[in-house]
Amino acid sequence: MLLRSFYATVVVATSLYANDGFDDEFEDGEFADESIELVQTTPVKKSDHRLNGSLTFSTSYNYKHHKPLNNTLNDFRGVSSAKLSSDIEYGYNIDDNYKLNSTLKLHKDFIYDLRDYNYKTTPEDYDSDIDLNELYIQGKLSDKTDITIGRQIVVWGKSDNIRITDTLNPLNNTTPGMVDIKDLRLGTAMTKVDHYYDIWSVSGIVIHENRYSSIPKYGSDFALSSQISANNISVDEPSNGIKNSGVAINVQAQMQGEDIAFYVSNKYADNTNYRSNMIGIAYNKVIDSFLLKTEAAYFDNYDSSTVDSKTDGLVGVEYSGISEGSISLEVANKDKNIQYALRFTQSYLNQTLDFTALAYMHGKDMKEGGFTRLWLDYDIDDSFQTSFGVIYYQGGDKANFEMIKDNDRVFASLKYSF
């Protein structure tokens, strides 16, 4: 669709003659001499199509694994990934009020071909996969009301590291600790209507798709060693009929230096076969160089007699008074377990080099397990970015961390953005 063409008129030459100063600038109230040329420019067209994305090659090296007990098991020592992945984002302006957006994710991990002698079992979808993560139409119903229909990502809550109220989208948890939450969310089909009134906004959401978080699959070094046990922890997603749809409401206000949000939802709990009601609240406040954050959520056992209701909560603080850096601490009581997340970020070389350290621990005394990830991101230029890092896993009383305590690895990637 063409945008309205426009033309520019430019005065390119005006000759003024005077003998002394400005005395003779005008003759009889008009310019003494004036030359005007009209220049017609080529109509400027703004494309209705938008295409951008990235192409990334990433690899990792496991340096702590031991030789497997027999030759029927995967050998995870050494290079454990040689993945080429791409995120392709396409948008189209349908008209002045409505637009379509989509994100296609695809990858091919060549490690299962290059080292097939090490991998007796290839985890399902690990060697290659294609996922239409987002596909939605967004537009205006009125000046104060928007609507979004399709597979989309809706972020709730204020925490960057621990999810309390952020329950609408599942996560890709196939490599725990390796990627931040903001890059792990999986799109879910919803219809969302947003109405704005001064500082307040109200969102009503119908969740059409029951999409669950991806967990490590048998054959992965993050999965259980027993295939039977690994299969038992997976739950089939409910059908996406009307009776299985979820509903959610978000009421929030954005004020000077603070914001608050209230959440209500009724939906299937992630990776379960039962529904749950959730009532939650999240609050942020800026005080000088500090950002204070808190979240709380109550989950009932809506239609399960075997699952207890629970209340999760989080408090956090982020300090940005460091030159070109910040440090944050979040402490949560989630699933009746204390969790800690400590993050430090510092930029160097005119913000082209970023160093980040993230420590995530479980247990009141931090002895139930966790991980520490250290990495550098370097912007080579506007198109290329490279990353290098290392992650250490700590075993402990929590079984899923004890199980992956030998998964320490170094990792690197090269990303091209277009």
Side-chain angles (χ1 to χ4, degrees), residues 66-87:
H66 304 289
K67 183 178 179 179
L69 297 177
N70 58 66
N71 58 9
T72 65
L73 301 175
N74 286 350
D75 187 351
F76 299 115
R77 294 176 297 170
V79 180
S80 58
S81 179
K83 181 186 292 186
L84 187 64
S85 58
S86 182
D87 289 0

Side-chain angles (χ1 to χ4, degrees), residues 195-209:
H195 182 74
Y196 305 94
Y197 182 78
D198 293 334
I199 63 172
W200 291 91
S201 65
V202 180
S203 300
I205 303 171
V206 178
I207 305 167
H208 309 293
E209 180 182 15

Side-chain angles (χ1 to χ4, degrees), residues 78-135:
V79 180
S80 58
S81 179
K83 181 186 292 186
L84 187 64
S85 58
S86 182
D87 289 0
I88 302 173
E89 300 176 3
Y90 171 74
Y92 174 68
N93 295 327
I94 300 172
D95 57 26
D96 291 341
N97 290 321
Y98 287 87
K99 61 183 179 181
L100 178 145
N101 290 304
S102 64
T103 302
L104 180 68
K105 291 179 174 288
L106 57 160
H107 79 259
K108 169 66 177 178
D109 198 333
F110 297 95
I111 198 66
Y112 299 103
D113 298 321
L114 297 173
R115 304 189 67 194
D116 58 338
Y117 52 88
N118 277 28
Y119 290 90
K120 312 303 180 183
T121 301
T122 299
E124 183 182 356
D125 299 328
Y126 276 48
D127 57 341
S128 62
D129 191 32
I130 298 177
D131 176 35
L132 187 59
N133 199 45
E134 293 179 277
L135 178 62

Side-chain angles (χ1 to χ4, degrees), residues 286-329:
V286 176
I287 301 177
D288 296 329
S289 298
F290 292 90
L291 173 64
L292 308 180
K293 60 183 74 174
T294 184
E295 292 187 46
Y298 170 78
F299 300 84
D300 70 6
N301 52 353
Y302 178 66
D303 64 355
S304 173
S305 59
T306 61
V307 178
D308 294 333
S309 59
K310 65 170 185 172
T311 300
D312 294 341
L314 174 146
V315 292
V317 59
E318 179 178 341
Y319 176 67
S320 57
I322 305 170
S323 177
E324 304 293 341
S326 65
I327 185 169
S328 67
L329 173 65

Side-chain angles (χ1 to χ4, degrees), residues 269-287:
D270 193 16
N271 284 313
T272 73
N273 56 9
Y274 70 92
R275 298 173 71 99
S276 175
N277 290 311
M278 187 272 277
I279 301 175
I281 183 173
Y283 177 72
N284 269 9
K285 184 175 180 61
V286 176
I287 301 177

Side-chain angles (χ1 to χ4, degrees), residues 163-175:
R163 303 213 305 173
I164 300 296
T165 59
D166 184 31
T167 61
L168 297 189
N169 290 96
L171 300 180
N172 182 350
N173 281 326
T174 53
T175 54

Side-chain angles (χ1 to χ4, degrees), residues 136-393:
Y136 60 89
I137 294 176
Q138 187 177 47
K140 288 185 173 294
L141 295 177
S142 68
D143 290 342
K144 294 186 176 182
T145 306
D146 297 339
I147 186 170
T148 307
I149 302 174
R151 180 174 273 190
Q152 56 191 287
I153 293 175
V154 180
V155 180
W156 280 5
K158 310 300 179 183
S159 170
D160 297 319
N161 306 293
I162 304 173
R163 303 213 305 173
I164 300 296
T165 59
D166 184 31
T167 61
L168 297 189
N169 290 96
L171 300 180
N172 182 350
N173 281 326
T174 53
T175 54
M178 289 288 291
V179 184
D180 284 345
I181 289 175
K182 62 183 178 65
D183 298 317
L184 294 177
R185 292 185 179 91
L186 301 176
T188 302
M190 312 179 201
T191 297
K192 182 166 72 82
V193 178
D194 303 302
H195 182 74
Y196 305 94
Y197 182 78
D198 293 334
I199 63 172
W200 291 91
S201 65
V202 180
S203 300
I205 303 171
V206 178
I207 305 167
H208 309 293
E209 180 182 15
N210 293 300
R211 191 180 189 189
Y212 285 169
S213 291
S214 299
I215 59 176
K217 296 181 180 179
Y218 177 70
S220 163
D221 52 351
F222 288 98
L224 295 174
S225 58
S226 166
Q227 184 173 8
I228 296 176
S229 299
N231 290 337
N232 283 342
I233 65 174
S234 62
V235 177
D236 291 335
E237 298 167 351
S239 63
N240 295 322
I242 295 178
K243 70 175 184 178
N244 289 331
S245 296
V247 293
I249 298 173
N250 170 23
V251 179
Q252 62 180 340
Q254 295 183 341
M255 299 159 282
Q256 183 68 32
E258 60 184 328
D259 54 78
I260 190 169
F262 303 93
Y263 309 109
V264 177
S265 70
N266 175 277
K267 58 184 285 293
Y268 276 92
D270 193 16
N271 284 313
T272 73
N273 56 9
Y274 70 92
R275 298 173 71 99
S276 175
N277 290 311
M278 187 272 277
I279 301 175
I281 183 173
Y283 177 72
N284 269 9
K285 184 175 180 61
V286 176
I287 301 177
D288 296 329
S289 298
F290 292 90
L291 173 64
L292 308 180
K293 60 183 74 174
T294 184
E295 292 187 46
Y298 170 78
F299 300 84
D300 70 6
N301 52 353
Y302 178 66
D303 64 355
S304 173
S305 59
T306 61
V307 178
D308 294 333
S309 59
K310 65 170 185 172
T311 300
D312 294 341
L314 174 146
V315 292
V317 59
E318 179 178 341
Y319 176 67
S320 57
I322 305 170
S323 177
E324 304 293 341
S326 65
I327 185 169
S328 67
L329 173 65
E330 296 177 353
V331 181
N333 186 346
K334 181 178 180 180
D335 298 325
K336 300 179 181 179
N337 184 274
I338 303 297
Q339 302 178 26
Y340 304 88
L342 177 65
R343 178 186 290 263
F344 171 76
T345 300
Q346 181 71 56
S347 295
Y348 307 92
L349 304 177
N350 295 322
Q351 298 183 336
T352 61
L353 179 66
D354 295 326
F355 169 74
T356 306
L358 173 64
Y360 178 76
M361 304 302 297
H362 272 254
K364 186 176 181 180
D365 54 4
M366 302 187 187
K367 293 184 179 180
E368 293 190 13
F371 65 85
T372 300
R373 175 160 50 102
L374 312 171
W375 73 99
L376 287 167
D377 294 323
Y378 177 63
D379 296 330
I380 300 173
D381 56 28
D382 292 339
S383 298
F384 287 92
Q385 182 190 68
T386 185
S387 296
F388 301 92
V390 60
I391 185 168
Y392 309 90
Y393 291 95

